[in-house]
């Protein structure tokens, strides 16, 4: 596995990939001599996506790499000179050319952690002009990564832990990088494999796939089966005529199942044979190009039985249209029948892959309807997050030169909570997190088994007193004055962390429909202080 | 404007950015000696997106660049060797290492053309293994580009031609490249500007933006206004004290409007003054950080009137929360009042920008409700296409070695129409396209003013006879045997073509809600021949 290094993040997220107003603001700060004032921004979202009870926080590692590579080239600066107003002081461009993130510090929730709405997930502090310039890039890196990772986790919960999940959405993704990001973060969120080869190459994700319908329909007769003859795995036989062998098995299968040989597609049989010759250890064809029961299943069984006779183990089949559940039951029934009738144990462990526009809803249905699907491939609904294709992370200024800032807005829910905060996660006696607590930074941390008074961030609930069995600090220092201070994990490691983070969550917050809301509260001191700020008391 | 050149497309769309099964199939073809058989694939989608009556075809230029750069590196091939089954013949990797698109020919609808469901938009022909390998990349490049371009065209139709449209969705896009692709193709689809600086840099799109709320809330008092004093545009005055000047205007504005000076935020005024000092020619602040009517609008008027007194022309304001329509009416009223009361003509032409989670629906509402919004900024709903976040383009094999291929599938609507086709667009006497006709390639082209019998592709309608006033051939040769044979247009040129292509479309197909279906038909010969293929007659 190659590690993502600086040139790659710089190619994906060039420093100009941001909104123009970041530069006009930076200039106005610079012009008034405020660009180096210490400032603090918070990154958070206001609602968990997909109507769910939780989210997964992702994209932070990319943010770290971005911070480390943040630099403007001469070419960047020349372009900016051409689009900023002509009144811009030329000295500002020299300033931009020298900028980097050596003065920036990032405190963040670790990659792959279960998180909740309204909790400040990242705190970015540093020179006002620089931390302002970072806004769009950080949001862009966190928003989709967290969204699609959370979506994958929901598909994983809907599927149960037994089924293997394959991501295969590249062709329907929002741009090539949308597809690559989706492959990475759906794996992190709980998928097992991807069809995306580049994602395997860059991130070490297991890749999978065998054939499309076009492969099957490209064959029309057995005369096209002309590769070298297949060799038996054990050297007992010579000169195997695989076509004759398979024709023999096809006759026996038709007889067993009472099928009409006249409806069997010869081109499909040729395609399956050719694939089996190419990959005798990896035989898993798509069997619905014409008709599963009248042709594809019979052709599969004939070729697979031939492979078994030659001591190879066929892998299984893929279904890609129609009612996957009922077809899988019928296919499994035929596999069992063949296994028993022909004494072929390998037919007991064949895999059935289902891929047909699977949504979270249809994934959940698989647990309700009888079916025999072992592996589910998911594309469009997973990678484009059709139920909610964006996560609304925002980046808000909370402090300048040590004094708190807030925005009120014409929409009350868009108002922000001023000041730097520390964030603690409270666990109950069973180890489940039950409340995230926002405190003032300078206050002492809450302690295990000590009651603390707090007030929910959302809604009109009154103060409550809670006593955590354990307390953990939710954010870590991950980037300090220009240095990455937190180990970067591989996607596989983050995937493990995701699963253990979800594991600790109480089932009532994990329900896909109508979950119980997880409580996020202010420590009461902070609340009083907030009231003080807003009302001027 | 820089032209996208090969290294850039290769970075965005590496040749491994595809599904694994393309390689397993390529190997099976190669193993059976079929990899160089001439094959033809068609690319099309089955339904217009967003419940609309048309789509815009985009992404073709990227496909051309991709074809030109298509090559596997040693590193790619080594990775493939590690993930393909161990049984893979090593000679196959030498074959891959030598592959390119010198044998590929692409016929395509031109970039930026209005297109309809079920019409084969691209025909890709060449060696079977190569054209199969191209599938995922071509789909990935066309699907999202066409989707977001079509979405932008709908926003443009909803907005009417008068309003300026600004794309500002980068932070909510699906991955960094999702944002960049969105900026490019929403401009092509009819937007006027983007906030995305990299999109301006790469594609020459006009960029726009001034300030965020964080800029406003970063100021708390007039003491922070410390840039060099603003110089009057004409040299008549010396030593202007802008703060005193603005305080004077603020008093007069409050008096005029009966506003309470005590509710005005000093920090907001400081922010506006600092921005005006930095960019006196480009003053367009966001005025809802605290309260539009109690603070932001008054502060704007005071600073803008001071600028006018110094012979600068302020640009306008941005509203980003609450009811944009009613606020814009109130803001315009105040602008007119100031203009008349203080004899400031510049206040008659101030621009009001509205940005607050605008959807196609709320854009259309702007034409129904009284409002004074001149520029609309659109982010999330535009770039992520919330109504339908993917376009279902597919890539289907229709011919191998000169003989037609089709797939049946368990879902009847997934069946394909075999054989190579020519596609003609029929225009009526007013120049509106009214029917796209699919013919056999070898048939003579339909002629203007000559009746032709045809049969709709979808539904059970019977044959009809139609007589076009004009006929145009819908697809062009754009890539022939390894060479791009069609001029690549700039995004601005394609944008022009989009608007003229939409212009020719009859309004009944352009309606955003319940448009009339555009008819796509087979020439009757083709239909008979198709029936022949499927039933074996």
């Amino acid at each position: 596995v190659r590690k993502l290094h600086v040139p790659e993040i710089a190619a994906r997220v060039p420093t100009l990939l941001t909104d123009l107003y970041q530069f006009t603001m930076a200039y106005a700060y610079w012009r008034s001599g405020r660009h180096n004032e210490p400032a603090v921004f918070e990154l958070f979202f206001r609602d968990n996506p997909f109507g769910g009870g939780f989210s997964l926080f992702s994209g932070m590692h990319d943010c770290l790499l971005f911070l480390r590579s943040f630099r403007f080239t001469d070419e960047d600066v020349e372009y900016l000179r051409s689009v900023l107003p002509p009144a811009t002081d030329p000295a500002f461009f020299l300033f931009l050319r020298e900028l980097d993130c050596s003065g920036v510090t990032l405190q963040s929730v670790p990659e792959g952690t279960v998180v909740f709405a309204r909790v400040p997930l990242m705190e970015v502090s540093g020179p006002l002009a620089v931390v302002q310039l970072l806004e769009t890039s950080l949001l862009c890196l966190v928003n989709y990564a967290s969204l699609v990772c959370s979506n994958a986790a929901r598909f994983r919960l809907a599927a149960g832990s037994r089924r293997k999940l394959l991501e295969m959405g590249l062709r329907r993704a929002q741009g090539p990088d949308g597809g690559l990001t989706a492959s990475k973060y759906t794996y992190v969120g709980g998928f097992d494999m991807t069809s995306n080869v580049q994602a395997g190459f860059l991130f070490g994700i297991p890749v999978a796939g065998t054939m499309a319908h076009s492969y099957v329909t490209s064959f029309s007769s057995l005369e096209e089966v002309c590769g070298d003859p297949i060799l038996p795995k054990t050297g007992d036989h010579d000169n195997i005529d695989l076509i004759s062998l398979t024709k023999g098995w096809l006759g026996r299968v038709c007889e067993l199942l009472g099928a009409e040989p006249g409806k069997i597609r010869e081109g499909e049989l040729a395609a399956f044979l050719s694939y089996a010759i190419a990959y005798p250890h990896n035989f898993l064809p798509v069997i619905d190009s014409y008709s599963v029961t009248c042709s594809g299943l019979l052709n599969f069984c004939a070729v697979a039985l031939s492979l078994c006779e030659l001591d190879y183990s066929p892998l299984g089949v893929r279904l890609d249209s129609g009612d996957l559940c009922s077809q899988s039951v019928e296919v499994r029934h035929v596999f069992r029948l063949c296994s028993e009738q022909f004494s072929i144990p390998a037919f007991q462990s064949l895999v059935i892959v289902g891929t047909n526009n699977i949504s979270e809803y249809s994934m959940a249905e698989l647990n309700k309807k009888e079916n025999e699907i072992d592996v589910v491939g998911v594309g469009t609904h997973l990678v484009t997050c059709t139920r909610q294709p964006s996560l609304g992370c925002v980046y808000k200024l909370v402090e300048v030169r040590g004094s708190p800032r807030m925005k009120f807005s014409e929409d009350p829910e868009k108002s922000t909570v001023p000041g730097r905060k520390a964030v603690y996660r409270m666990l109950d006696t069973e180890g489940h997190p039950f409340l995230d607590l926002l405190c003032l930074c300078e206050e002492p941390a809450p302690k295990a088994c000590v009651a603390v008074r707090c007030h929910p961030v959302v809604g009109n609930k009154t103060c409550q007193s809670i006593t955590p069995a354990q307390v953990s600090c939710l954010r870590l220092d991950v980037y300090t004055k220009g240095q990455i201070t937190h180990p970067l994990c591989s996607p596989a490691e983050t995937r493990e962390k995701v699963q253990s983070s979800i594991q600790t969550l109480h089932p009532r917050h994990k329900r896909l429909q109508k979950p119980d809301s997880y409580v996020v509260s202010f420590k009461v001191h902070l609340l009083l202080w907030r009231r003080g700020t807003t009302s001027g008391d």
Side-chain angles (χ1 to χ4, degrees), chain A residues 196-346:
Chain A
N196 182 339
V197 183
Q198 182 72 4
F201 178 59
L202 288 178
F203 310 122
I205 303 171
V207 287
T210 58
M211 74 175 70
H213 296 109
S214 54
Y215 175 80
V216 177
T217 59
S218 82
F219 287 83
S220 56
S221 95
L222 288 172
E223 286 165 28
E224 290 158 329
V225 185
C226 59
D228 309 324
I230 193 169
L231 294 174
K233 203 175 166 189
T234 52
D236 299 352
H237 322 261
D238 273 331
N239 297 325
I240 299 291
D241 179 354
L242 186 65
I243 295 182
S244 304
L245 188 65
T246 301
K247 278 183 173 168
W249 277 114
L250 191 56
R252 275 170 276 173
V253 169
C254 284
E255 202 174 313
L256 174 67
L257 303 175
E260 288 180 53
K263 288 190 172 171
I264 294 175
R265 288 274 170 166
E266 183 181 327
E268 189 181 51
L269 181 61
F272 290 4
L273 278 167
S274 293
Y275 198 92
I277 290 168
Y279 284 133
H281 299 275
N282 301 81
F283 185 57
L284 193 158
V286 61
I287 61 170
D288 68 329
S289 298
Y290 303 103
S291 161
V292 171
T293 49
C294 298
S295 181
L297 180 56
L298 307 169
N299 282 327
F300 168 80
C301 288
V303 176
L305 288 162
S306 300
L307 285 173
C308 289
E309 189 172 331
L310 300 171
D311 285 330
Y312 291 100
S313 298
L315 297 184
V317 297
R318 179 161 76 99
L319 299 167
D320 186 46
S321 55
D323 178 346
L324 299 181
C325 288
S326 66
Q327 287 182 85
S328 71
V329 170
E330 187 166 354
V331 167
R332 183 71 70 203
H333 170 70
V334 168
F335 288 170
R336 292 205 177 109
L337 219 56
C338 288
S339 176
E340 288 155 19
Q341 189 68 25
F342 305 125
S343 303
I344 306 282

Side-chain angles (χ1 to χ4, degrees), chain A residues 487-506:
Chain A
L488 296 179
C489 303
S490 71
E493 288 163 333
T494 308
R495 185 170 180 272
E496 291 295 316
K497 290 169 74 174
V498 162
Q499 289 310 313
S500 46
S501 188
I502 292 177
Q503 202 68 43
T504 64
L505 200 58
H506 194 282

Side-chain angles (χ1 to χ4, degrees), chain A residues 461-476:
Chain A
K461 289 181 192 147
T462 51
C463 284
Q464 55 177 166
S465 179
I466 54 126
T467 307
Q470 297 170 60
V471 174
S472 68
C473 187
L474 197 57
R475 292 193 313 224
L476 305 173

Side-chain angles (χ1 to χ4, degrees), chain A residues 45 58 138-148 391-394:
Chain A
F45 58 88
S58 295
L138 298 185
L139 288 174
C140 185
L141 287 170
V142 168
N143 264 328
Y144 179 59
S146 297
L147 180 76
V148 79
L391 180 66
C393 274
V394 294

